[in-house]
């Protein structure tokens, strides 16, 4: 049953070519611009721009789109069409559906994440260890955010409401890290001194790990094993809330 749920989710996403293309395009636009920027900038400026901004933004967008846009809208659509109630009546356990759909989400993310990193490896140096660490941390961030899609889907009435509400949520998650880090760096201040105010955002742990993996800074704000622990605990808490919402519908 888990395989069938995962397969059904991935097929539904592949069939919606317009949505898939629209979701993937923003992340890959930064990759395309990077190729043109390389010939117009010095090596130092180029490395700072790509490693400090474009690559993190591309990865964050991929995670958001596969976790929030696709998963939340998919679940909201099922709820609006009464499909979710029908699935519950078939006796499928909440954790079975949660794991099955999660396999589909993680599979699609990793497929396009690997393609994205391979593309960036043609213009910047990414070692194999950095490559694997970026994938590992991205998966842990997705693990933390994935249950949130079930929670949000339980709050939105239909796909239209979900689409309009997800955009500001994604912008808050993304720009609270990206913009504050950029402006603090330009102001000659250490962004890590202010990370305590952003601990609520899982993207903090991904962004900080990326900076170390790409040799922009020496060490992460907290030890990385603590990042993995925080993200795992957050995922378990959100999963418990998601289960309660799922079973109450």
């Amino acid at each position: 049953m888990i395989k069938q749920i995962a397969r059904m989710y991935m097929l539904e996403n592949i069939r919606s070519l317009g949505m898939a293309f629209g979701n993937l395009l923003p992340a890959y636009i930064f990759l395309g611009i990077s190729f043109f920027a390389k010939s117009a900038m010095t090596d130092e400026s180029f490395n700072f721009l790509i490693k400090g901004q474009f690559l993190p933004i591309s990865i964050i967008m991929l995670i958001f789109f596969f976790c929030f846009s696709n998963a939340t809208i998919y679940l909201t659509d099922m709820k609006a069409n009464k499909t979710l109630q029908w699935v519950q009546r078939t006796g499928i356990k909440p954790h079975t559906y949660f794991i099955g759909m999660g396999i589909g989400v993680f599979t699609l993310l990793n497929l396009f994440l690997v393609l994205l990193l391979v593309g960036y490896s043609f213009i910047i140096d990414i070692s194999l260890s950095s490559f694997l660490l970026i994938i590992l941390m991205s998966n842990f961030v997705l693990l933390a955010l994935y249950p949130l899609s079930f929670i949000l889907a339980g709050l939105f009435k239909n796909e239209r409401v979900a689409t309009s509400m997800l955009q500001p949520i994604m912008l808050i998650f993304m720009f609270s890290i990206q913009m504050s880090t950029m402006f603090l760096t330009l102001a000659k201040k250490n962004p890590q001194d202010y990370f305590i105010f952003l601990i609520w955002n899982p993207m903090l742990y991904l962004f900080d790990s990326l900076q170390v993996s790409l040799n922009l800074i020496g060490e992460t704000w907290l030890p990385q094993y603590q990042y993995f622990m925080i993200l795992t605990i957050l995922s378990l808490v959100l999963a418990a809330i998601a289960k309660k919402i799922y079973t109450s519908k």
Side-chain angles (χ1 to χ4, degrees):
M1 182 54 68
I2 289 177
K3 287 183 179 179
Q4 291 176 337
I5 295 171
R7 183 170 175 269
M8 181 175 65
Y9 176 79
M10 288 190 287
L11 285 176
E12 285 294 325
N13 277 273
I14 294 172
R15 284 171 184 163
S16 304
L17 289 178
M19 179 177 289
F21 181 76
N23 287 341
L24 292 171
L25 187 60
Y28 284 88
I29 279 180
F30 284 97
L31 174 61
I33 295 174
S34 301
F35 279 96
F36 292 103
K38 187 175 184 179
S39 59
M41 302 177 68
T42 62
D43 288 342
E44 184 179 0
S45 299
F46 179 77
N47 277 330
F48 180 77
L49 178 69
I50 303 304
K51 295 180 179 180
Q53 298 296 322
F54 282 10
L55 178 55
I57 289 176
S58 295
I59 295 175
I60 289 172
M61 283 186 168
L62 271 186
I63 294 174
F64 273 136
F65 285 131
F66 278 108
C67 180
F68 275 4
S69 293
N70 276 14
T72 304
I73 292 175
Y74 178 80
L75 288 167
T76 304
D77 193 42
M78 287 183 67
K79 188 184 74 173
N81 295 328
K82 307 295 182 185
T83 308
L84 199 57
Q85 288 87 335
W86 178 83
V87 170
Q88 289 175 303
R89 292 193 187 101
T90 61
I92 297 176
K93 301 294 184 184
H95 70 274
T96 302
Y97 199 84
F98 183 82
I99 295 172
M101 187 175 150
I103 290 174
V105 173
F106 277 79
T107 301
L108 289 175
L109 171 75
N110 281 283
L111 172 64
F112 289 101
L113 179 59
V114 169
L115 291 175
L116 182 75
L117 291 176
V118 169
Y120 272 107
S121 68
F122 284 104
I123 53 177
I124 58 173
D125 294 327
I126 304 177
S127 65
L128 179 60
S129 59
S130 297
F131 196 97
L132 296 176
L133 183 59
I134 291 171
I135 292 176
L136 181 64
M137 180 54 76
S138 298
N139 277 273
F140 265 88
V141 172
L142 180 62
L143 181 70
L145 289 175
Y146 170 62
L148 199 56
S149 61
F150 281 80
I151 297 173
L152 293 175
L155 302 176
F156 302 143
K157 291 182 179 179
N158 51 49
E159 181 179 340
R160 181 181 299 177
V161 176
T163 303
S164 62
M165 293 301 296
L166 286 173
Q167 295 301 326
I169 292 174
M170 287 192 291
L171 290 176
I172 291 172
F173 271 104
M174 184 167 63
F175 288 118
S176 62
I177 299 296
Q178 201 78 23
M179 292 294 104
S180 58
T181 302
M182 184 177 71
F183 287 124
L184 286 169
T185 302
L186 293 175
K188 307 296 184 185
K189 295 182 178 179
N190 183 2
Q192 292 186 338
D193 292 340
Y194 299 87
F195 279 0
I196 186 67
F197 301 107
L198 299 169
I199 56 175
W200 53 270
N201 191 341
M203 289 301 162
L204 169 69
Y205 311 114
L206 171 64
F207 187 83
D208 198 34
S209 299
L210 282 173
Q211 303 296 292
V212 174
S213 300
L214 298 172
N215 298 318
L216 287 181
I217 57 176
E219 57 184 13
T220 52
W221 176 51
L222 297 176
Q224 284 191 309
Y225 79 88
Q226 292 188 15
Y227 286 176
F228 294 133
M229 291 174 60
I230 292 171
L231 293 171
T232 302
I233 293 171
L234 179 61
S235 176
L236 292 173
V237 171
L238 292 177
I241 298 173
K243 180 184 178 184
K244 188 173 182 179
I245 292 176
Y246 179 90
T247 53
S248 66
K249 298 296 178 182

